[in-house]
Amino acid sequence: MSADILRAAGDYAVIWMIIMSAALFMLMCIDKGRARRGARRIPERRLFAAALAGGAFGGGLGMYGFRPKTRHWYFAWGFPAIALVEAALVWWLKTL
């Protein structure tokens, strides 16, 4: 019974990560647009919070698609590391 609940949690985690990845991808797009206009940028803390909340895959795609933060080592290494942890968590939930 509890394994079924955890497997279902894995399904919900995947859906959550898709939603958060899309949201962070859009935030990266908005941040790049603001950078081009010289407007106020989205705080890095907010971008990392969205990555930690499940959006690291979208953040990585946005980072390399729009190139807003690729020079910062903590983005270049942080987003992929967070994405690996998130993928491992989902894999663990799905294989129970």
Side-chain angles (χ1 to χ4, degrees):
M1 177 81 179
S2 64
D4 292 332
I5 293 170
L6 288 175
R7 266 190 231 105
D11 293 337
Y12 289 121
V14 169
I15 293 167
W16 176 257
M17 288 173 59
I18 290 169
I19 291 168
M20 288 304 297
S21 289
L24 185 51
F25 184 83
M26 289 187 295
L27 281 175
M28 297 295 268
C29 177
I30 292 166
D31 185 59
K32 184 61 176 189
R34 288 181 179 182
R36 287 182 179 153
R37 290 191 314 268
R40 188 169 186 204
R41 307 279 301 269
I42 296 173
E44 292 178 353
R45 185 177 294 179
R46 186 167 298 151
L47 296 174
F48 262 102
L52 288 170
F57 289 105
L61 291 174
M63 182 174 59
Y64 289 106
F66 303 115
R67 299 211 164 280
K69 302 285 185 184
T70 53
R71 284 189 263 163
H72 300 291
W73 68 269
Y74 43 90
F75 277 96
W77 291 94
F79 278 10
I82 295 168
L84 284 174
V85 170
E86 290 172 354
L89 176 66
V90 168
W91 175 80
W92 178 73
L93 287 171
K94 298 291 278 178
T95 58
L96 289 177

